[in-house]
Amino acid sequence: MALDQKKLASAGFVLDQKSNPAVLHCSILPSPTQLHEIEATLRAKVSVVLNSESGIKAFENLRGSAADTNLLSEIDNLVSETDFQNSVKVALLANDENDAPIKKLLNNLLSVAINRMASDLHIDPDGTALKLRLRLDGVMTDFAELDPRVAQMLVARIKILANMDITERRKPQDGRLTTVFGGQAVDIRVATLPTRGGERVVLRFFKNTLTKMLVSDTGLEQVHVDALMTAVSAQSGLLLVCGPTGSGKTTTIYSLLNTLLGRGLNIMTVEDPVEVEIPSIVQTQVNEQIDFSFSEGLRALLRNDPDVILVGEIRDAQTAEIAIRAAMTGHLVISTVHANSPSGAIKRLINLGVVETLLLDSLLGVFSQRLIRIYCESCRSSSITTAGHSSELPVPFGGCDNCYSSGFKGRQPVMSHLLLRGRASKTLNLLAAADLAINTMEVEAQSLHQRGMTARFEVSKVRY
């Protein structure tokens, strides 16, 4: 019995039924439920192959043919403001989500968001208008308001491409789609939410640049790069990266994995979701609907002979306990935790029930980071002469066309870190050791301001 290859491709799989047994080429590890459904349909066992070269090539080819051809062919084009507004007007003539004007509108909208290097696109109906907002360099920016008549068709079009249930508008849904912009693959995560004004959609953009970035490419000060390399060179123990949402933690942990590639290590991850697909790494995704949590995923990984384990986030006592146990039994465990400082991360784990002596024995280091917005080079000279440059509270800048009138373009990471090494640190309790952290985050941010690279209110964000 044949399976729908397009549906499989949208889930990240390519099925080769000519082999005996059939082979499922995967970019990510399938859940037990997915594998069971495939085998039940075929009425035969399936061999799973992760990240084989032929599988990746077949996956890319099939995904390209399975996705909407208009989307893939037109998204490469840069879209001007006039082009976008024209597509908005034409979209009012569409009858449903499959009409060309709606396809064109979505393609243009994605092109604008990706070209402006937005991390997120918010599509938010409020009953009177469809509001479009972009998150640029961590800040929400209003982009446009559309006629509410196109809202349902635009949302439906996104749901079709993201392999979501187009008829379900009462419950939140998650999906993903992939496109190409400027010759570069862009992975787009989609999340819907029913609201009073209609169905809200958020699209998050991930480019494949993180598949090659090394620690030395992150823009961190050399003292932090050296500390990160010292920590991972221990080859066993727990390395934590902390900070609020949008502080660059994902970039740092993926750069660590890339740095460890090709060194004879079995690297495995459990994430929610898998944010960046990296060849040669076994990646699995949390699925709460079937009780496949971080703790369950981490237990499963430990039975698969890993050397390095990435846990997307330590968010509960069970995950913390298993991560500590894995770190103490010869594995290098890299993870993130939501905390504002190295001492805050340590307190967070202790509050989750981790025994302090065990944490002291296993913890390699804690790295706390933020991202500081940098002035646009084209209009920086005028920005530093305004009152906003020295303001403690955020104020708008005039900007220029290059930065879309924001005054900022790009972000710079700043970091503080605590590196536990040698017997001297092991004689201290953890909270005392935390006082030895290199608290350079605010110093680095202040330096950026003094050099005329950023505003004072950006420095205020890193104080804790």
Side-chain angles (χ1 to χ4, degrees), residues 34 40 68 71 80 87 129 148 208 214 239 251 261 265-266 279 282 291 309 321 346 392 397 413 427:
Q34 289 172 319
D68 183 84
L71 178 69
S80 68
S87 65
N208 63 5
L214 305 178
L239 186 156
T251 298
L261 284 176
L265 300 171
N266 181 21
V282 178
D291 296 325
I309 300 172
E321 179 186 353
I346 291 170
E392 291 284 350
F397 286 87
T427 63

Side-chain angles (χ1 to χ4, degrees), residues 96-98 152-170 173 192 199:
D96 60 41
E97 61 276 0
N98 293 313
Q152 190 168 326
M153 291 185 289
L154 184 61
V155 171
R157 183 67 193 157
I158 294 170
K159 291 167 77 172
I160 289 173
L161 293 171
N163 198 33
M164 301 161 76
D165 185 352
I166 191 173
T167 63
E168 180 56 77
R169 302 189 186 95
R170 301 166 300 169
Q173 294 188 68
T192 66
E199 201 167 14

Side-chain angles (χ1 to χ4, degrees), residues 416-430:
S416 293
H417 77 258
L418 167 65
L419 190 63
L420 292 172
R421 57 184 176 182
R423 294 182 178 179
S425 64
K426 299 299 183 183
T427 63
L428 301 169
N429 66 59
L430 272 175

Side-chain angles (χ1 to χ4, degrees), residues 269-289:
T269 78
V270 55
E271 306 169 69
D272 183 23
V274 174
E275 296 198 16
V276 180
E277 296 175 6
I278 301 180
S280 306
I281 291 179
V282 178
Q283 298 172 274
T284 187
Q285 182 167 315
V286 167
N287 187 344
E288 299 289 354
Q289 294 181 346

Side-chain angles (χ1 to χ4, degrees), residues 58-246:
F59 167 66
E60 290 174 345
N61 290 340
L62 187 55
R63 171 174 274 185
S65 63
D68 183 84
T69 54
N70 288 332
L71 178 69
L72 292 174
S73 63
E74 296 180 24
I75 196 67
D76 262 342
N77 300 327
L78 298 179
V79 176
S80 68
E81 185 71 22
T82 301
D83 290 336
F84 179 78
Q85 292 301 332
N86 287 337
S87 65
V88 169
K89 295 175 183 177
V90 175
L92 292 172
L93 304 175
N95 295 315
D96 60 41
E97 61 276 0
N98 293 313
D99 280 3
I102 293 296
K103 293 180 181 180
K104 184 69 173 178
L105 174 61
L106 178 58
N107 294 345
N108 286 351
L109 180 56
L110 293 178
S111 180
V112 168
I114 297 171
N115 184 53
R116 295 191 179 192
M117 295 185 289
S119 61
D120 302 84
L121 165 63
H122 291 235
I123 301 173
D124 197 358
D126 67 359
T128 60
L130 183 65
K131 296 183 178 180
L132 305 178
R133 296 185 295 167
L134 302 174
R135 186 174 293 278
L136 303 173
D137 294 326
V139 177
M140 291 298 299
T141 305
D142 291 335
F143 172 61
E145 287 192 9
L146 307 187
D147 192 297
R149 288 176 289 174
V150 306
Q152 190 168 326
M153 291 185 289
L154 184 61
V155 171
R157 183 67 193 157
I158 294 170
K159 291 167 77 172
I160 289 173
L161 293 171
N163 198 33
M164 301 161 76
D165 185 352
I166 191 173
T167 63
E168 180 56 77
R169 302 189 186 95
R170 301 166 300 169
K171 295 181 180 179
Q173 294 188 68
D174 294 308
R176 63 186 291 180
L177 59 98
T178 299
T179 188
V180 176
F181 182 86
Q184 186 178 56
V186 181
D187 191 32
I188 306 174
R189 305 296 164 84
V190 183
T192 66
L193 180 71
T195 68
R196 185 175 60 180
E199 201 167 14
R200 187 175 190 269
V201 183
V202 175
L203 294 87
R204 172 158 286 190
F205 303 95
F206 296 92
K207 294 185 179 179
N208 63 5
T209 52
L210 289 184
T211 62
K212 299 178 182 179
M213 182 178 288
L214 305 178
V215 175
S216 56
D217 302 325
T218 56
L220 291 166
E221 293 289 337
Q222 191 62 42
V223 64
H224 305 305
V225 172
D226 293 342
L228 284 164
M229 295 305 297
T230 297
V232 296
S233 67
Q235 300 183 49
S236 66
L238 175 63
L239 186 156
L240 289 176
V241 180
C242 66
T245 300

Side-chain angles (χ1 to χ4, degrees), residues 29 237-238 268-271 284-287 291-329 331-335:
L29 196 66
L238 175 63
M268 308 184 75
T269 78
V270 55
E271 306 169 69
T284 187
Q285 182 167 315
V286 167
N287 187 344
D291 296 325
F292 187 59
S293 60
F294 272 117
S295 56
E296 288 298 320
L298 187 49
R299 284 195 186 95
L301 259 59
L302 289 173
R303 296 192 290 270
N304 280 264
D305 188 32
D307 297 301
V308 180
I309 300 172
L310 169 66
V311 182
E313 181 186 347
I314 295 178
R315 59 172 66 156
D316 57 60
Q318 277 188 316
T319 305
E321 179 186 353
I322 301 168
I324 293 295
R325 189 168 73 235
M328 294 183 67
T329 54
H331 304 88
L332 175 61
V333 180
I334 301 170
S335 190

